[in-house]
Amino acid sequence: MGEWGQRIRRLVLAAVIIALVVSSMSLTASPRVRVIRVSNWIASAVSPISFSLAWIGNKVGRGVSTLGNLYAVEQENRALRAKLLRYNAMRLELSEVLADNGQLRSLLGLKRALGGWKLEPASVIARSPSTWFDTVVVDRGTSSGVRPGQSVIVPQGVVGRVVGASASTATVMLILDPRSGAGAIDARSQAAGVVSGDNPVSGLLTFQLFSHRPQIDPGDAVVTSGYSQYYPKGLLIGQVIRVAKAQYGLTETATVRPSVDFNNLSQVMIVLSHPAQASVPPIFGGGRS
Amino acid sequence: MAPPYRPLYWIVLFVFGLLVQTALLPQVFPIGYVPSVMVSLVVLLALYESPRRGLGLGIMAGALTDLLGGRLIGLNTATYGLLGYYIAKYQERFKHDQIFVPGLIGALSQLIMALAQWGILNAVGYRLPWQAVTAPLPYWVLFGLLFTPAMGGILGIRPASPAKPRRH
């Protein structure tokens, strides 16, 4: 009886533990403000050490990669020279288009709106301890005006959005995260959809299109649609590299290469406020003129 | 003889491990390829502990990782806890050397933990492709193989009673 009793007790204990773990995981599957707040407290407490380690790692990593990249740089240099010739020709055409664009903007009254962007620079001090999720910790928090929901950008494009903030640090969910979900449109065809992380290793994004025949092609630029509450309209996300039919062939899915190099992410800009109308942030070439 | 019970030392070690994993290693390894320092630390400590302590230190390491990550709380707590428990339970069967055994178990643990967590995440609705495990696995295994005994040497973690020499 005693042995049976002990066995049953162990089984019940195991069942209770499994139930606890499963309910805890399901409750915290998506980022929640209260849970993120706890992780932010820990991140704030260790932020000076994180910052120092990240700085040391960055310097050492750059030194090592510089040596390793010498051969690659020479090849890249040749390719870039060829590209430069093509871009110079394009620049002449663009300067005409830009002149027209400037006139149109002033006509539409957007000039004033361009000055409405308020950005807060921040340094990345830590990444997520779990390899399956893509979040980073930055060294700016509520004391600098950072709030959950604000978007984070760099001159190359969209980085992600703030999901939690303490006084001195904030957690940013990168668009590479499988649960990021940013509203996006194809800049050429205006086909709309949702962009989220593809898988943690590839560093690519999945663009799930809403339309049945979206007419999207490789090479197209993908920008934020402004339909979601988090990202302002018109921020560059990346470039389409391939298009495929989704499961059952009802919709199409595009694979997007992000314009941001997430492996070398050290400085970012948090968008504290932006004008309600469509406009370009100062670091994208917009701003006060 | 079991080593003295030092939970504060474990916490300090795990916090340091988390800092290395979140701030230093991402500067060296690309996204998705960062190996787990915590797995190596759990292996190293559990190798010389009783199953109960192994379970405790695994839960401690997992809970800290979950709290800092802020998502899917319980995933690391449960898996690290089981890892610590089973390593501590079967550790007496291994010959206690300071390099080969910790290295081998460290490498195997990286493999087992990656597969277990990938399986659990897919079961709860994360559609992570198989490539998310297979592509970085060689890096993780090699890291476990080298980092675990190296950390043991640096921290001076060694068996309380060294293995007896063979009789000829």
Side-chain angles (χ1 to χ4, degrees), chain B residues 81-140:
Chain B
L82 287 173
L83 179 76
Y85 175 78
Y86 281 108
I87 286 175
K89 190 176 177 184
Y90 294 111
Q91 51 99 0
E92 284 183 353
R93 296 187 188 184
F94 313 129
K95 187 170 181 280
H96 276 176
D97 82 327
Q98 278 176 263
I99 298 166
F100 183 72
V101 170
L104 191 69
I105 297 173
L108 271 172
S109 300
Q110 294 274 354
L111 169 81
I112 292 164
M113 293 300 280
L115 291 174
Q117 293 200 347
W118 179 84
I120 294 170
L121 284 169
N122 274 284
V124 297
Y126 281 84
R127 282 184 297 169
L128 291 167
W130 184 229
Q131 189 208 2
V133 176
T134 53
L137 205 55
Y139 297 88
W140 294 345

Side-chain angles (χ1 to χ4, degrees), chain A residues 208-214 243-253, chain B residues 127:
Chain A
Q208 180 65 56
L209 292 141
F210 296 144
S211 166
H212 177 50
R213 291 183 189 279
V243 185
K245 285 270 180 206
Q247 208 176 6
Y248 310 117
L250 291 174
T251 54
E252 283 190 2
T253 305
Chain B
R127 282 184 297 169

Side-chain angles (χ1 to χ4, degrees), chain A residues 21 24-26 28-32 35-36 38-39 42-43 46 49-51 53-58 61 124-135 173-174 176-179 198-202 247 262-263, chain B residues 15-16 18-24 26-34 64-76 78 80 113-115 117-118 120-121 124-129 131-133 135-136 140:
Chain A
V21 170
S24 163
M25 278 171 65
S26 61
T28 55
S30 295
R32 285 175 187 274
V35 180
I36 295 283
V38 176
S39 74
I42 302 172
V46 296
I49 311 169
S50 285
F51 188 82
L53 282 173
W55 187 85
I56 292 166
N58 193 285
V124 175
I125 56 168
R127 282 185 186 273
S128 167
S130 176
T131 190
W132 314 108
F133 309 120
D134 290 303
T135 53
M173 185 200 273
L174 306 180
L176 287 179
D177 193 280
R179 296 281 163 107
D198 183 39
N199 88 54
V201 174
S202 67
Q247 208 176 6
F262 287 98
N263 283 319
Chain B
V15 169
F16 176 75
L18 271 177
L19 284 169
V20 169
Q21 192 170 319
T22 56
L24 196 64
Q27 313 289 338
V28 183
F29 292 90
I31 286 178
Y33 286 79
V34 179
L64 278 171
T65 311
D66 279 337
L67 281 176
L68 190 62
R71 291 189 45 197
L72 277 176
I73 290 179
L75 175 74
N76 291 301
Y80 286 16
M113 293 300 280
L115 291 174
Q117 293 200 347
W118 179 84
I120 294 170
L121 284 169
V124 297
Y126 281 84
R127 282 184 297 169
L128 291 167
Q131 189 208 2
V133 176
W140 294 345

Side-chain angles (χ1 to χ4, degrees), chain B residues 7-68:
Chain B
L8 204 67
Y9 170 71
W10 293 347
I11 291 176
V12 171
L13 206 58
F14 290 144
V15 169
F16 176 75
L18 271 177
L19 284 169
V20 169
Q21 192 170 319
T22 56
L24 196 64
L25 290 188
Q27 313 289 338
V28 183
F29 292 90
I31 286 178
Y33 286 79
V34 179
S36 175
V37 173
M38 299 303 267
V39 167
S40 289
L41 287 178
V42 169
V43 168
L44 205 56
L45 294 172
L47 263 176
Y48 309 114
E49 294 290 354
S50 66
R52 191 179 282 256
R53 285 192 196 174
L55 178 72
L57 68 89
I59 287 174
M60 201 184 278
L64 278 171
T65 311
D66 279 337
L67 281 176
L68 190 62

Side-chain angles (χ1 to χ4, degrees), chain A residues 33 146-152 160-165 170-173 228-232 270-272 274:
Chain A
V33 176
V146 179
R147 300 277 180 276
Q150 290 170 339
S151 51
V152 179
R161 66 181 160 92
V162 177
V163 288
T171 303
V172 177
M173 185 200 273
S228 73
Q229 56 180 316
Y230 302 117
Y231 298 100
I270 302 165
V271 181
L272 299 184
H274 60 88

